[in-house]
Amino acid sequence: MAEETAAIERLYEELLTAWNDRDARRYAALFADDASLVGFDGSQVDASELEGHLAPIFTDHPTASYVWRVQEVRPLGPAVALLKARVGMVPPGQTDVNPAVNAVQSLVAVQQNGTWRVALFHNTPAQYHGRSDLADEHTADMRAAMAEASSRS
């Protein structure tokens, strides 16, 4: 399972890197043909509409960049796995995460013809209502992930 876990983590990294690069085509190409996305705002998008959904967002809006930490990759059956992660977002021109848009993400990956693809990607605001300690922990974790990523580059 270690090899599969690494492949699924790479798929997730490619997905968020495509977002950070504002590349709608590359982002959409990582999804299975019958996949779905649930966005931060609750929008639901089928794989066939992803590129068209994202292209104007990337063209017309300065999107923030993701920083992330995978929390778990768990097999759900043969050639199906769940990845859970925490994310933060760094606004354009800034060097720190914006805690107001921290999120948790879930990705269901399926293996098709030897290649892992996104079957479902779900992005949920991490608001932690009434639990400021969890919100602070999430932000601290994202800052640590940013520091780790910059030390690798």
Side-chain angles (χ1 to χ4, degrees):
M1 182 62 196
E3 184 178 312
E4 291 171 336
T5 296
I8 294 160
E9 287 182 1
R10 276 192 307 277
L11 172 66
Y12 180 68
E13 180 177 351
E14 289 173 23
L15 185 71
L16 296 191
T17 300
W19 173 277
N20 289 352
D21 292 344
R22 303 166 55 91
D23 189 331
R25 178 170 291 157
R26 199 169 87 224
Y27 187 97
L30 297 169
F31 285 75
D33 291 341
D34 60 349
S36 297
L37 172 139
V38 180
F40 188 81
D41 65 352
S43 58
Q44 298 179 45
V45 183
D46 291 332
S48 62
E49 301 169 359
L50 265 173
E51 186 176 346
H53 174 77
L54 289 176
I57 293 170
F58 291 153
T59 300
D60 299 335
H61 303 285
T63 53
S65 295
Y66 281 114
V67 59
W68 64 90
R69 188 177 310 278
V70 173
Q71 296 179 292
E72 175 185 15
V73 176
R74 176 178 7 134
L76 299 176
V80 180
L82 169 68
L83 178 144
K84 297 188 324 185
R86 283 181 170 177
V87 299
M89 298 194 86
V90 180
Q94 297 191 22
T95 58
D96 194 12
V97 295
N98 174 2
V101 291
N102 284 345
V104 293
Q105 296 180 334
S106 301
L107 181 147
V108 176
V110 293
Q111 193 173 41
Q112 299 175 330
N113 301 317
T115 302
W116 286 98
R117 293 280 177 241
V118 177
L120 174 66
F121 182 64
H122 195 274
N123 191 21
T124 302
Q127 307 227 328
Y128 305 109
H129 298 290
R131 298 175 288 168
S132 60
D133 57 323
L134 295 178
D136 292 345
E137 177 188 310
H138 188 132
T139 300
D141 190 30
M142 294 303 94
R143 288 178 175 144
M146 278 179 45
E148 292 165 14
S150 66
S151 72
R152 287 191 299 266
S153 30

